[in-house]
Amino acid sequence: SAVGTKVISIFSARDIHGKWHPHGKNKVFRTWPACHTCYLEKCYNDNLCLKLIEPKLVINAANYYLNEKI
């Protein structure tokens, strides 16, 4: 994102919100399950925060950027 490339990012709830997000108008996927503030190295909830991100949404975002006029 530092050089203007569009970025699609997927973050787990373990990451501190906003700390590593790309700059600019990019697409960030992140969910907020009840356990979102655990910050544990090993997830005991079967990576629920990542599983809640639907692949179709990520694919749609990629298609949008790929079809965007430069």
Side-chain angles (χ1 to χ4, degrees):
S1 74
V3 295
T5 303
K6 297 288 184 175
V7 176
I8 297 172
S9 303
I10 300 172
F11 288 93
S12 72
R14 181 183 175 272
D15 296 310
I16 297 170
H17 179 64
K19 183 173 183 177
W20 302 108
H21 289 194
H23 297 284
K25 293 183 178 180
N26 297 289
K27 186 64 179 169
V28 175
F29 290 96
R30 181 187 177 112
T31 60
W32 299 97
C35 58
H36 69 85
T37 55
C38 73
Y39 300 118
L40 297 174
E41 290 288 326
K42 181 177 178 180
C43 178
Y44 294 99
N45 204 7
D46 198 30
N47 293 313
L48 178 64
C49 58
L50 294 173
K51 289 183 177 181
L52 289 173
I53 299 170
E54 295 181 34
K56 183 177 182 178
L57 295 175
V58 179
I59 291 168
N60 287 344
N63 284 331
Y64 177 81
Y65 283 154
L66 290 171
N67 292 318
E68 193 175 61
K69 297 201 185 312
I70 299 174

